[in-house]
Amino acid sequence: AQSVTQPDIHITVSEGASLELRCNYSYGATPYLFWYVQSPGQGLQLLLKYFSGDTLVQGIKGFEAEFKRSQSSFNLRKPSVHWSDAAEYFCAVGGIAGGTSYGKLTFGQGTILTVHP
Amino acid sequence: ETGVTQSPTHLIKTRGQQVTLRCSSQSGHNTVSWYQQALGQGPQFIFQYYREEENGRGNFPPRFSGLQFPNYSSELNVNALELDDSALYLCASSIGHSPYEQYFGPGTRLTVT
């Protein structure tokens, strides 16, 4: 069964500092990988996704993520955090085409990001 | 704004009761997925409907059921509510051939007392 681990429940950074949120997954092959952001009272918004190809993917709001097959990781990064980035971030995996879990997302527990001025 | 709406926003029910949650998908989106997000947890996949038929189910009991209608709306029904059913319920709509282009609604917060 596929699973996602986000080791950090809560991260605090200062505005302008760099950010890295960790994500590790377990899956029989290379799944589709996603990062979502959820602000209070809001639904989930897709930041970026990886299906194949270049292992460094760019997303919205200045975020990027790097897929590392050897580490089964898909860490999210941002070079300079803004106060408006404070939210909860979820890593997710999706089953590949042809598999029984195709089209279904499995989410990690989430990482809450607090930004200090 | 994703174009996906959910109603009601909040709901309080008593253990043992039944509840219906509603989702209105983006026009043309023939696939809807429902997720349960307990407090402090990530969303968990409940089931998915494609062209009004159930198309996959997560680890949820049969008292969780759904319907999808031709007008791109859908329902999540939960019978015999338990305290652990208290959660945020999210729906996500997509087009069948692009299942990962999922647009999430804001959710319905269900509290079971």
Side-chain angles (χ1 to χ4, degrees):
Chain A
Q2 58 202 54
S3 65
V4 179
T5 301
Q6 294 180 245
D8 305 303
I9 295 174
H10 197 165
I11 282 184
T12 300
V13 299
S14 298
E15 192 168 17
S18 64
L19 171 70
E20 182 169 29
L21 302 182
R22 296 183 291 164
C23 172
N24 292 95
Y25 67 88
S26 173
Y27 191 73
T30 298
Y32 302 139
L33 296 159
F34 307 82
W35 275 99
Y36 285 84
V37 61
Q38 186 178 39
S39 298
Q42 304 290 316
L44 295 164
Q45 182 183 21
L46 179 65
L47 287 175
L48 47 77
K49 61 190 176 191
Y50 173 78
F51 282 11
S52 64
D54 192 345
T55 57
L56 185 64
V57 294
Q58 302 297 320
I60 62 171
K61 304 185 180 187
F63 285 93
E64 66 177 27
E66 185 173 14
F67 167 59
K68 292 186 177 180
R69 185 191 310 271
S70 62
Q71 299 177 18
S72 297
S73 69
F74 188 57
N75 294 349
L76 182 71
R77 300 195 294 247
K78 186 169 185 178
S80 177
V81 170
H82 188 261
W83 64 266
S84 61
D85 292 324
E88 190 161 15
Y89 292 79
F90 292 94
C91 180
V93 301
I96 59 176
T100 57
S101 59
Y102 180 57
K104 290 79 174 175
L105 294 169
T106 298
F107 288 86
Q109 194 171 2
T111 297
I112 298 171
L113 174 65
T114 298
V115 180
H116 281 165
Chain B
E1 188 67 39
T2 65
V4 179
T5 59
Q6 292 186 245
S7 62
T9 305
H10 295 91
L11 197 54
I12 300 175
K13 288 287 191 177
T14 302
R15 189 172 51 185
Q17 286 187 316
Q18 178 267 342
V19 68
T20 297
L21 310 182
R22 294 179 173 83
C23 172
S24 180
S25 301
Q26 282 198 15
S27 179
H29 282 197
N30 55 15
T31 303
V32 64
S33 304
W34 285 90
Y35 294 84
Q36 180 196 65
Q37 185 177 14
L39 201 60
Q41 303 292 320
Q44 277 195 289
F45 174 73
I46 303 175
F47 46 54
Q48 184 180 85
Y49 277 77
Y50 171 65
R51 291 184 175 176
E52 302 164 47
E53 301 262 341
E54 188 176 292
N55 180 42
R57 187 178 189 92
N59 190 26
F60 281 83
R63 60 189 185 85
F64 285 78
S65 63
L67 285 171
Q68 186 185 26
F69 303 102
N71 66 350
Y72 308 116
S73 68
S74 59
E75 292 180 354
L76 165 65
N77 298 288
V78 188
N79 293 322
L81 283 167
E82 301 177 359
L83 297 179
D84 285 348
D85 296 333
S86 295
L88 180 69
Y89 289 85
L90 298 163
C91 74
S93 74
S94 57
I95 299 174
H97 63 266
S98 300
Y100 290 119
E101 297 290 337
Q102 296 191 14
Y103 296 87
F104 283 83
T108 293
R109 172 73 63 190
L110 172 65
T111 301
V112 182
T113 62

